[in-house]
Every structure is written in C-alpha cells, then in structure tokens.
C-alpha cells in the first residue's frame, strides 16, 4: 500500500485548494446569510474541470478517478461545504448520464453539463419514500414516443434553478426492478417546483419539491433500458457517498484548524489554552478521528475505481464513519470556542449546521449500517 498522493494528485489538490481559498471561502458566510446560490462561481469551478470530474473526456469531462474526485471535494469544502456538496450532486447526475445513457443522450447533454452551462439535479427521494427508496411512487407511463410522468420528488438540491433533472420513476411493477431513469428538462410541460425549503444548513444552495403533472418526456431521454433505473441510482449513490464524505472531511478540517488557532491565541487563568492538557487531548482525538475517516474514504474511493466487489460496503462504511466523525469534530471545535463558537462571526456554527445533513442524505447513516450488515452476511 502507498498512502502518498501522486504528483498529479498533488497538482489537483493544489488547484482545488487555491480555488476554494479565492472563490469560496471569502463569500461563504454571506452566501449562507443571504441564501445565495452562486451559479457564477459554480461555472468558474467548471472551467477547472470540476463539473465532470469522472465523466469521459470525449464529452468534455475530466476523466479522473473517484480518488481524485474525493481529493477535490475535500479541498473545495474547506472553502464552503454547501456549494461543494452541490457540485458533488451535479457530478453524480452527470456521471449517470455518461455511464448509462445512450451515446446520443451523452452528446446532447454532457458537453453543456461539464461546463455548467446546464446545471443538473438528482431526483430519487419522495415525500413518502426516503430510506425506502425502492418504494417510490412517481410513475412514467409510455405514450407513443414519450413517457408521461406523475408524482413528486422531495428535498431536491437545485430544484427550480437546475436545468436538467435525472429522475427515477416507476415504469413497471413494485420494487426496484420496476424503476427507470429519465433526463427531464426544466421547461418540460407539466414540470413544476414547490416553495424553497427553510433549512438548518446548506443555505447556499436551493432545495425544493419537484412535481410532475402529466409531464411529457421524450423516450430518447430515458437512461438505459426500462427497469434499470434503480440500479443506476444506487451506482450513482456509491460515488455520491464518497463525495459527501469527502465534503465532511473538508469542513471538519477547517473546524479543526480554526480550533487549533483559537487554542494558540486564547488565554484563560493566565495561560494559553493550548497549554491545558485536557484541551490538547481533545484536539489530538479530533485530529485522529479525522485522519481515520480520511483513510477510510480514500480506501473506499480506490475500491470503487478498481471495481472491487466489496466497493458498495466500503462506500457505506466510509460514508457513515466520515460524516459522523466530521460532524463530531466540528461540534467539538465549536465547544472549544466557548460562547464565541455560537456566534456567526466565527465559521464554527455554520460548519456544524452544514455538516449535520451529511448524516442524513445519500442514504442515512442508519441505512449505511443496513447496507454494511447486508454485505457482511452475503460473504
């Protein structure tokens, strides 16, 4: 095993870190406060290849590995968690089209998705089916050379702003084998959006319900064959879990670095806080948990790149561990700041709010345990 990054990966890491420092970090607090979705900055990220990280190069993608992508998302989220997490979702949707779509579909959408001329959202969750995703009720009925979609999707990042929606809908009977996947454009007749959700965190990206009322979608916009959509969605989530875990790493690293600086400068009882052994131990534990999480995430990303048969389990384990550890590190960093950590003048309360949802989305951490146990019993 070699735990060091290659020269190319170091260059990718440096580029993402520089972009985060220049384009994300200076604006993060304002975007959160104003609930601003920085589309112009997303397109600047796309200029560096960050909108199609593991999309094939023949349609404008960067053709990088999942490990490379993990490195990028960790660095981007050091600048702003919510914006970086949305770039992750866009990448997941674009990859599904690239990996499973027809060549005509790939060439119609991906050159504009990889530049973020078009922005993409991923639509699986519904008001009545969250963790039980295979129970989704949105239907797609064949009508001539089109499908007619009816139903709703909930908690959709980018809803109302995104141009393209990768939608899972039921074309057959109950269960996962009755689900197909479609690309739905924003101006499709019968597509509408609910009010923007009022959220605890992730305020720098919009979230709303997506509604289909006799929404007509051309048959050519189906991804793959009928009945394959749920498998495609789960394959997308393996990578999505690595990405969101990586975003937790970056946010938690910022929290840890902020706490370290605070302990070095803050004095109480005549001494710098960094001289109190109890606080030293707490910071050491935070750093250890974060490093352990990083190793798990990169090991899972490597397994996904190598198509290891255990990759799904590794991705679930890494997502569970890294998002739990990331939130706990951020929460402890806030505690180390005392009352100052609770103020919006400091980044800690924002990081805590943004990282909390990572334990829920891309499959709750309870479902990650279900997946892990299921895979263990299959061995």
């Amino acid at each position: 095993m070699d735990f060091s990054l290659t020269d190319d990966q170091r260059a990718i890491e440096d580029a993402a870190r520089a972009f985060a420092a220049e384009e994300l970090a200076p604006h993060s607090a304002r975007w959160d406060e104003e609930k601003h979705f920085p589309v112009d900055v997303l397109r600047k990220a796309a200029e560096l290849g960050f909108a199609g990280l593991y999309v094939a190069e023949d349609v404008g993608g960067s053709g990088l590995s999942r490990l490379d992508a993990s490195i990028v998302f960790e660095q981007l989220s050091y600048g702003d968690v919510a914006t970086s997490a949305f770039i992750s979702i866009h990448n997941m949707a674009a990859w599904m089209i690239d990996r499973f779509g027809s060549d005509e579909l790939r060439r119609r959408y991906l050159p504009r998705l990889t530049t973020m001329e078009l922005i993409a959202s991923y639509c699986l969750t519904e008001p009545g089916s969250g963790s039980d995703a295979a129970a989704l009720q949105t239907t797609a009925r064949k009508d001539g050379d089109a499908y007619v979609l009816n139903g709703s999707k909930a908690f959709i990042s980018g809803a109302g702003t995104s141009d393209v929606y990768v939608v899972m809908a039921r074309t057959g009977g109950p269960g996962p084998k009755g689900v197909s996947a479609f690309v739905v454009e924003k101006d499709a007749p019968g597509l509408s959006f609910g009010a923007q959700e009022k959220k605890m965190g992730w305020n720098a990206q919009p979230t709303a319900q997506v509604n289909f009322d006799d929404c007509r979608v051309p048959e050519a916009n189906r991804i793959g064959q009928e009945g394959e959509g749920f498998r495609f969605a789960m394959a997308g989530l393996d990578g999505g879990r690595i990405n969101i875990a990586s975003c937790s790493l970056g946010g938690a690293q910022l929290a840890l670095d902020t706490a370290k600086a605070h302990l070095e400068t803050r004095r109480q009882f005549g001494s710098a806080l960094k001289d109190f052994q109890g606080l030293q131990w707490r910071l050491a534990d935070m750093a250890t948990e974060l490093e352990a999480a990083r190793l798990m995430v990169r090991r899972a990303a490597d397994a996904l790149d190598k198509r290891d048969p255990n990759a799904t389990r590794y991705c679930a384990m890494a997502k569970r561990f890294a998002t739990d550890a990331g939130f706990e590190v951020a929460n402890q960093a806030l505690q180390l700041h005392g009352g100052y950590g609770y103020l919006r003048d400091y980044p800690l309360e924002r990081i805590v709010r943004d990282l909390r949802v990572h334990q829920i989305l891309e499959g709750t951490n309870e479902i990650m345990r279900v997946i892990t146990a299921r895979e263990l019993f299959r061995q």
Side-chain angles (χ1 to χ4, degrees), residues 55-303:
V55 168
E57 294 176 276
D58 67 319
V59 285
S62 299
L64 299 178
S65 70
R66 298 306 182 112
L67 179 55
D68 297 334
S70 173
I71 293 165
V72 168
F73 286 119
E74 179 175 351
Q75 294 304 317
L76 292 180
S77 60
Y78 192 92
D80 184 70
V81 171
T83 303
S84 305
F86 183 82
I87 296 173
S88 160
I89 294 166
H90 174 92
N91 270 270
M92 181 167 63
W95 175 81
M96 284 181 64
I97 296 171
D98 183 44
R99 176 67 178 81
F100 302 113
S102 66
D103 192 58
E104 186 275 331
L105 200 65
R106 293 176 65 250
R107 296 188 183 282
R108 179 149 47 103
Y109 287 109
L110 288 168
R112 290 183 292 165
L113 287 169
T114 54
T115 62
M116 275 192 155
E117 175 189 345
L118 298 179
I119 296 172
S121 290
Y122 175 90
C123 302
L124 176 63
T125 299
E126 296 184 0
S129 60
S131 293
D132 187 11
L136 65 87
Q137 296 297 309
T138 297
T139 59
R141 175 179 54 84
K142 188 74 181 300
D143 182 27
D145 60 354
Y147 285 86
V148 179
L149 275 62
N150 282 283
S152 296
K153 298 293 180 178
F155 309 124
I156 304 304
S157 292
T161 299
S162 291
D163 307 283
V164 168
Y165 299 83
V166 174
V167 179
M168 274 49 73
R170 188 165 301 286
T171 53
K177 293 184 179 179
V179 177
S180 301
F182 302 89
V183 178
V184 183
E185 295 188 8
K186 183 179 182 180
D187 60 358
L191 180 66
S192 64
F193 307 98
Q196 290 297 312
E197 304 289 359
K198 298 176 181 178
K199 299 170 295 186
M200 173 180 173
W202 270 25
N203 289 319
Q205 55 165 283
T207 304
Q209 191 162 295
V210 178
N211 303 309
F212 307 94
D213 183 9
D214 288 338
C215 176
R216 292 188 66 84
V217 179
E219 182 180 3
N221 280 32
R222 190 185 66 219
I223 301 174
Q225 300 302 310
E226 281 196 9
E228 295 185 318
F230 193 78
R231 178 172 64 86
F232 298 164
M234 293 303 102
L237 283 175
D238 277 345
R241 287 163 185 158
I242 293 300
N243 294 348
I244 213 65
S246 302
C247 289
S248 285
L249 296 177
Q253 186 66 58
L254 174 59
L256 177 65
D257 291 347
T258 304
K260 176 176 175 288
H262 181 72
L263 296 185
E264 289 172 333
T265 57
R266 176 77 166 164
R267 297 181 65 84
Q268 292 284 274
F269 306 105
S271 299
L273 291 183
K274 71 181 180 66
D275 295 329
F276 290 87
Q277 189 178 65
L279 301 184
Q280 293 174 359
W281 286 8
R282 184 178 296 191
L283 200 72
D285 283 346
M286 292 159 65
T288 302
E289 292 295 306
L290 189 56
E291 184 62 20
R294 182 175 291 112
L295 290 172
M296 284 191 73
V297 170
R298 292 185 178 180
R299 192 264 183 272
D302 182 65

